[in-house]
Amino acid sequence: MPKKVIVLDYGFGNVRSAERALVHAGADVEISADHKAALNADGLLVPGVGAFAACMEGLKAVRGDTIVDKRLAGGRPVLGICVGMQILFARGVEHGVATEGCAQWPGTVERLAAPVVPHMGWNTVEAPAGSVLFQGADADTRYYFVHSYAVRTWEMPVVQDGPHIPPDVTWSTHGTPFVAAVENGALSATQFHPEKSGEAGAQLLRNWLATL
């Protein structure tokens, strides 16, 4: 049976593109902000485009931050995309103004340090060994990015601390390195757009759906 995935509709993100990509990858997809549906689905996708502060405002308006919290407390998978990834971090700083994020991970989303911003177009990533999202992808596989801000410094431990398994962090480079994806138990996210990344993005979504 196809896995049921809710694309969270909170006013930010190209939900139709995400829906089409997930259907193509084999999911049963619904676009919704319904609290019960989002909690009970096999998977939840949190899209996002635009400004960090505006996305957080929209997310809170539909109690999306609470939905994410409750799903993760129960080990239920969540995938964030683009600004939908950024708002999972502790804070975002845009034009000198700091906004609190969902704080699932420590860290700050800040402007890219590069000669040309935004970072727009295809780029490779450096995924760690054992990555589930990037299983089957070659080192020269490219994904589609459109962003001016990113997490440039990873602030969680990268070694195992007792029973705690560290997240798998994937990096890319535009001017300087930045976090391109994170896999952390039930919570995963990508800075790039899988739904705009052709077959490479479709494979990543299939890999994620296989974990549901």
Side-chain angles (χ1 to χ4, degrees):
M1 292 289 292
K3 297 296 184 179
K4 180 71 175 186
V5 177
I6 294 293
V7 177
L8 189 62
D9 186 8
Y10 66 103
F12 295 87
N14 192 336
V15 293
R16 293 298 175 188
S17 291
E19 177 190 33
R20 287 193 295 268
L22 284 165
V23 169
H24 177 69
D28 175 14
V29 187
E30 181 182 348
I31 298 170
S32 178
D34 181 78
H35 198 86
K36 184 177 180 180
L39 285 175
N40 292 334
D42 297 309
L44 176 72
L45 187 144
V46 182
V49 295
F52 187 104
C55 283
M56 275 305 302
E57 182 178 357
L59 190 75
K60 289 181 177 179
V62 299
R63 297 190 294 160
D65 52 338
T66 301
I67 291 169
V68 170
D69 271 339
K70 288 184 176 180
R71 285 189 63 90
L72 295 177
R76 312 211 71 184
V78 175
L79 175 65
I81 290 177
C82 196
V83 184
M85 166 180 167
Q86 294 177 3
I87 57 178
L88 297 171
F89 285 86
R91 70 194 65 83
V93 178
E94 296 177 334
H95 309 294
V97 177
T99 302
E100 290 185 2
C102 294
Q104 298 296 335
W105 297 309
T108 300
V109 178
E110 56 190 334
R111 188 171 172 83
L112 289 165
V116 177
V117 176
H119 174 213
M120 183 180 299
W122 298 85
N123 205 347
T124 57
V125 302
E126 297 177 22
S131 165
V132 173
L133 288 183
F134 296 96
Q135 185 176 359
D138 298 328
D140 60 353
T141 300
R142 293 178 178 270
Y143 302 88
Y144 191 78
F145 292 84
V146 182
H147 62 119
S148 298
Y149 295 82
V151 173
R152 292 161 45 197
T153 302
W154 182 254
E155 297 183 12
M156 284 185 75
V158 293
V159 295
Q160 186 161 346
D161 177 19
H164 302 291
I165 299 174
D168 283 332
V169 182
T170 293
W171 295 85
S172 189
T173 299
H174 181 69
T176 57
F178 65 89
V179 175
V182 184
E183 299 165 67
N184 185 197
L187 183 59
S188 300
T190 67
Q191 177 60 68
F192 57 84
H193 289 271
E195 77 280 12
K196 297 180 180 179
S197 296
E199 179 53 32
Q203 182 60 55
L204 183 142
L205 292 175
R206 287 193 292 268
N207 290 344
W208 180 65
L209 290 173
T211 70
L212 305 185

